[in-house]
Amino acid sequence: MTLALNPQQDAAVRHPGGPLLVLAGAGSGKTRVLTARIAHLIRERGVAPSRIFAVTFTNKAAGEMRARVAALLGADPRGLWIGTFHALSARLLRREAALLGFGPNFTIYDQDDSASFIKRLLEQRGHSPKANPPRAIHAIISGAKNRMLLPEELGASAESPLERVAAEIYAGLGPALRQANAMDFDDLLLLPLTLFAEHPERLAYWQRRFDHVLVDEFQDTNAAQYRLVKLLASEHRNLCVVGDDDQAIYGWRGADVRHMLSFQQDFPGATLVKLEQNYRSTQVILDAANGIIAENTRRLGKTLFTVTQGGEPVTLLTAADERDEAEWLAGELSRRAADGDVAYEGMAVLYRTNAQSRPLEEAFRFRGIPYRLVGALSFYERREVKDVLAYLRLIANPADDEAFARIVNVPRRGIGDASFAELVRLATQWRKPLLDAARAAERIPNLRPNVRAAFTGVAGLIDELRARHAGADPATALEQALAATGYAQYLADEGAEGVERIENVQELIAGAAGWAETAGADDDEAGGEAGEGQGGATLIERYLTQAALVTSADQGTGDPTGVTLMTVHMAKGLEWPVVALAGLEDGLFPLARSAGEPGGLEEERRLCYVGLTRAREKLYLSWARTRYRNGRLELSEPSRFLEALPAGALEERSTTPSWDRSARGGRGVGARGGRPPRATPAELDWEVEASQDAPHYATGERVRHRKFGGGVVRAVSGSGRELKVTVEFDDQEIGTKQLLVAYAGLEREWESA
């Protein structure tokens, strides 16, 4: 198989060696260039696949790239290291764990595990988890790790009591995780750097191990990620980075676009190749995108173009409110599908915050439009899936305290919170994992005989599962754990909801079986090269690694043949024939907070640019004159980004109701961004009257309570004054509560991406 490449793409693919920066605009074929370069290195230059380290930012992208390389070569590139930063780092650390004080069977803690672990550390040190929410502490520590700050550096720069407590917890977190033989997501990036600093001979080995390092989405690297690839490539300097500074949208989680802007200074003599020819969108869409991004000043600079001129104009919709906006978009997409223009699965509606999906979902359900919601609760975040995987984690790693804490009373064994707290206290005193302490429960004097028996019973159960099934494939081990614990019956006792949860567990087992069928395909993953130390991770350990690294961006809920609903952040790297970008209002997109943050407004503009360039054939932009925010109706103004749209690329539509009579003859939002006249409160009476059931809440959106703090809406019932929401709060001591909205004083956390 061969690829047709334009001259710039071909130059990047055939680059002879040394540092290479490929500035790849949206839709310019960067994945084609990366995969073609990997295939060229293997086929034309004789580089062994196992000597190539290729990193990207999503599991889906890594899988697609590997498949494309295989198609170009006509065979699977066995031994090729290709995956996300976290996945490749975990793969490296499995081989080097002993040098860092870990076993090769270490557990990877997700956000819930980390928050629970931090909560226990807070309690052990006499800090209240209510005054110091574990998730907030974890976020501060994670931010420090992404900036490569040590605990003492975080403590020295702390400006609030919460930050000072975070620095204290951070100092104790490393040893505590090591005792649990566990790493969190940030550790996966930092520990290879620790390894290389403390063991220069291992750095020299890994530098010799790879002849070429390639990085996709380079603009999204954080300090630790950039340092890792620089170290690996520092000897041969065969570092090829591909990205787009105009699509740098992850500054809020530690990514630093300056890595891309300064690459040529970091690597003197680096070759720069610009990919500006777009193969995705019409020229009209590109004109709109180019107009918006040109307002940014901190960029390397490029202008997208396409050979195919013309295209449908960009439709700019002015709606009365968020429901009006959603209903108009639903009607328009329904019309296009009925006309045979494009199927629903070729359409997407994108928005700035997850909370905006609620009116869209309602409008789609009302019209019977199938849709797929991406970014909601991940399959692997479901309670029953996490429960069953916790048993599997203990089979792999008996020191995994978070897994033990999760299943110690699941199914119920008569172990209360006070009894478990006593076990934790003694385990801490003995410096032993919780499973070891449970095995010795007869030595704990303050427990009732039945509780001691329950602890020793669960320890014996785990020991038997480990003895019998540690070397089994994950599906078999999961089935045996279910049978031994009676977990399926435990779920069945929950009624109709439990039946659905059982189906999810069965889906998990089926997925694990499917994974195991292809898991042996990469012999390098299973065993590594001679001299790499312990690389032979068990099937269960390898399965748990990939399960831990799956994100909600890799999955969706709903109809796979329907319209896709997701945030613009999650749409990065994707494309559809028809795209609508909704909620383009100042304060929402761009977010209000961005104006006060250094570089914040430019990042919001880049995010808008990403949204526009997802469309291939037709682009809709919409904003609403009024929108319910923070539980009340607020007047809106169109996003300042709309002012940069070229007049010739637009057609304007409006659903302005009769109450706003002055807007009929007024200037629209057009090319120069005329602002609509403000409506008076009296003119809004019809809206208040028509919204007896407002405020609205959607399952999955984040809210904040004045007393209980932040949480996630898990269920909504009733309407009007009887509207109730079930909220799972971040503070585990508060747990899940059902609240009457009229009296709860809830606020939306609008500014969470």
Side-chain angles (χ1 to χ4, degrees):
M1 179 180 176
T2 58
L3 286 176
L5 302 171
N6 67 35
Q8 291 73 31
Q9 292 173 331
D10 190 67
V13 169
R14 297 183 181 278
H15 175 66
L20 171 65
L21 170 60
V22 181
L23 185 60
S28 64
K30 73 175 178 64
T31 303
R32 167 180 290 211
V33 166
L34 267 173
T35 52
R37 178 159 179 80
I38 293 171
H40 172 78
L41 291 171
I42 296 170
R43 186 172 54 199
E44 307 297 332
R45 306 264 290 279
V47 179
S50 62
R51 301 189 70 79
I52 297 174
F53 185 96
V55 62
T56 186
F57 272 78
T58 68
N59 299 300
K60 182 179 179 182
E64 289 175 352
M65 284 174 60
R66 187 185 187 97
R68 288 199 197 186
V69 171
L72 287 172
L73 295 174
D76 185 72
R78 294 174 72 86
L80 175 66
W81 281 55
I82 186 168
T84 64
F85 269 108
H86 290 93
L88 294 183
S89 294
R91 185 169 167 179
L92 184 153
L93 288 167
R94 293 281 180 206
R95 291 154 169 76
E96 304 283 9
L99 291 175
L100 294 165
F102 293 87
N105 58 336
F106 61 80
T107 298
I108 300 172
Y109 279 177
D110 65 13
Q111 190 172 21
D112 285 345
D113 295 323
S114 295
S116 176
F117 195 76
I118 286 171
K119 179 174 182 286
R120 198 165 327 126
L121 292 180
L122 285 166
E123 291 169 341
Q124 289 172 4
R125 287 160 173 75
H127 296 296
S128 164
K130 287 186 178 180
N132 304 278
R135 287 184 184 274
I137 296 290
H138 179 246
I140 293 170
I141 294 173
S142 179
K145 286 183 175 182
N146 284 333
R147 299 194 306 277
M148 299 177 64
L149 294 180
L150 297 171
E152 52 268 29
E153 292 174 312
L154 177 61
S157 64
E159 297 180 350
S160 68
L162 190 67
E163 289 180 332
R164 285 189 283 274
V165 171
E168 178 187 338
I169 297 300
Y170 184 11
L173 187 59
L177 284 169
R178 195 169 283 107
Q179 179 178 311
N181 196 24
M183 301 178 189
D184 65 20
F185 267 43
D186 300 311
D187 290 332
L188 293 179
L189 302 179
L190 288 177
L191 286 174
L193 302 179
T194 303
L195 171 78
F196 295 157
E198 295 178 353
H199 300 276
E201 76 284 359
R202 298 313 297 161
L203 170 60
Y205 168 79
W206 287 102
Q207 287 172 332
R208 294 191 305 269
R209 173 69 171 74
F210 299 111
D211 294 327
H212 288 268
V213 177
L214 301 95
V215 183
D216 189 15
E217 304 287 3
F218 180 61
Q219 74 282 348
D220 292 331
T221 52
N222 64 28
Q225 291 162 339
Y226 188 29
R227 179 158 178 75
L228 177 63
V229 295
K230 278 204 296 186
L231 283 171
L232 289 177
S234 61
E235 294 299 313
H236 52 65
R237 299 180 83 239
N238 291 326
L239 176 59
C240 168
V241 300
V242 183
D244 183 1
D245 56 326
D246 288 335
Q247 296 186 69
I249 59 174
Y250 292 111
W252 51 275
R253 69 180 189 196
D256 192 341
V257 70
R258 290 177 298 181
H259 298 150
M260 189 158 204
L261 300 177
S262 65
F263 183 82
Q264 291 166 285
Q265 286 75 50
D266 292 349
F267 289 88
T271 299
L272 171 65
V273 175
K274 289 187 179 184
L275 305 183
E276 297 176 289
Q277 184 172 350
N278 179 280
Y279 294 91
R280 175 188 299 158
S281 307
T282 66
Q283 189 61 51
V284 171
I285 293 170
L286 296 182
D287 288 344
N290 286 333
I292 284 179
I293 199 61
E295 301 284 304
N296 273 5
T297 57
R298 295 175 66 241
R299 56 192 296 255
L300 292 169
K302 64 184 176 312
T303 301
L304 296 181
F305 70 92
T306 180
V307 173
T308 307
Q309 296 298 305
E312 285 191 60
V314 175
T315 298
L316 177 60
L317 171 71
T318 301
D321 63 10
E322 72 269 26
R323 289 178 303 168
D324 197 31
E325 175 188 52
E327 288 162 5
W328 190 93
L329 290 173
E332 182 69 5
L333 298 186
S334 177
R335 179 190 65 77
R336 294 193 81 105
D339 290 347
D341 289 353
V342 63
Y344 282 128
E345 61 193 285
M347 305 176 183
V349 182
L350 311 178
Y351 34 79
R352 181 62 182 84
T353 65
N354 276 310
Q356 290 169 256
S357 72
R358 192 260 322 151
L360 291 162
E361 290 187 75
E362 289 180 356
F364 281 27
R365 284 197 296 265
F366 180 76
R367 286 184 175 266
I369 298 174
Y371 66 90
R372 172 175 171 263
L373 183 66
V374 179
L377 189 67
S378 160
F379 177 78
Y380 288 94
E381 292 171 346
R382 298 177 189 275
R383 177 196 16 125
E384 63 276 13
V385 172
K386 290 177 76 74
D387 285 349
V388 177
L389 284 179
Y391 279 101
L392 202 61
R393 284 165 52 178
L394 284 167
I395 291 173
N397 174 18
D400 188 342
D401 284 353
E402 290 312 305
F404 183 85
R406 185 170 191 94
I407 58 86
V408 66
N409 201 38
V410 175
R412 294 182 184 88
R413 300 182 173 96
I415 298 171
D417 291 346
S419 298
F420 181 66
E422 184 65 11
L423 182 79
V424 171
R425 188 182 69 80
L426 265 297
T428 303
Q429 181 178 315
W430 295 341
R431 296 186 178 179
K432 294 285 188 182
L434 291 176
L435 181 61
D436 285 359
R439 203 180 287 119
E442 294 299 332
R443 293 170 48 198
I444 303 177
N446 298 332
L447 297 179
R448 297 191 308 276
N450 64 312
V451 174
R452 287 183 198 149
F455 278 131
T456 55
V458 71
L461 172 68
I462 298 301
D463 288 343
E464 184 174 355
L465 287 172
R466 294 193 71 240
R468 288 173 176 258
H469 309 296
D473 66 273
T476 298
L478 286 168
E479 287 176 335
Q480 295 302 317
L482 284 175
T485 59
Y487 187 76
Q489 184 59 50
Y490 167 71
L491 291 178
D493 292 342
E494 296 182 4
E497 183 179 341
V499 172
E500 184 177 330
R501 294 187 185 278
I502 291 173
E503 291 174 355
N504 288 334
V505 171
Q506 291 169 341
E507 182 180 338
L508 175 72
I509 295 172
W515 174 87
E517 290 175 3
T518 58
D522 195 339
D523 53 351
D524 185 61
E525 165 67 17
E529 290 191 348
E532 285 189 9
Q534 214 292 347
T538 67
L539 277 175
I540 289 176
E541 290 162 8
R542 290 167 58 198
Y543 170 73
L544 287 170
T545 295
Q546 71 86 30
L549 298 178
V550 170
T551 68
S552 55
D554 298 313
Q555 307 168 40
T557 57
D559 191 332
T561 65
V563 179
T564 299
L565 304 180
M566 63 166 63
T567 65
V568 187
H569 275 104
M570 288 202 165
K572 176 88 172 299
L574 304 177
E575 60 181 71
W576 298 267
V578 177
V579 170
L581 187 56
L584 280 161
E585 297 136 35
D586 259 7
L588 182 55
F589 202 172
L591 287 176
R593 71 179 181 199
S594 65
E597 296 177 351
L601 198 57
E602 291 216 347
E603 179 154 323
E604 290 285 303
R605 190 176 282 109
R606 292 194 294 265
L607 185 60
C608 184
Y609 173 81
V610 167
L612 268 61
T613 53
R614 299 311 94 198
R616 296 209 299 258
E617 300 164 12
K618 176 64 182 182
L619 175 64
Y620 295 92
L621 307 175
S622 63
W623 72 282
R625 294 176 182 274
T626 62
R627 187 177 297 272
Y628 266 93
R629 297 185 64 182
N630 303 319
R632 62 181 184 273
L633 188 67
E634 295 185 354
L635 290 163
S636 305
E637 291 191 344
S639 170
R640 68 194 71 186
F641 298 156
L642 297 176
E643 298 177 9
L645 291 170
L650 288 179
E651 67 168 12
E652 295 192 44
R653 303 288 295 275
S654 176
T655 64
T656 306
S658 57
W659 54 264
D660 194 12
R661 291 176 294 277
S662 60
R664 289 183 172 178
R667 200 162 63 130
V669 143
R672 301 276 66 87
R675 303 295 191 192
R678 289 190 178 274
T680 67
E683 289 174 316
L684 293 176
D685 285 348
W686 74 273
E687 172 62 32
V688 176
E689 185 65 29
S691 301
Q692 293 291 316
D693 59 341
H696 306 284
Y697 290 91
T699 302
E701 74 173 299
R702 288 194 59 80
V703 294
R704 177 160 293 278
H705 187 275
R706 59 183 177 273
K707 179 179 178 183
F708 302 140
V712 178
V713 175
R714 295 302 185 200
V716 182
S717 62
S719 62
R721 303 297 291 180
E722 300 302 315
L723 179 66
K724 296 176 182 176
V725 290
T726 301
V727 180
E728 180 183 341
F729 287 99
D730 297 342
D731 188 330
Q732 294 183 343
E733 289 192 0
I734 294 171
T736 300
K737 292 185 179 294
Q738 188 178 67
L739 305 170
L740 197 61
V741 171
Y743 302 101
L746 291 175
E747 293 184 354
R748 285 187 175 86
E749 290 192 357
W750 282 95
E751 300 190 354
S752 60

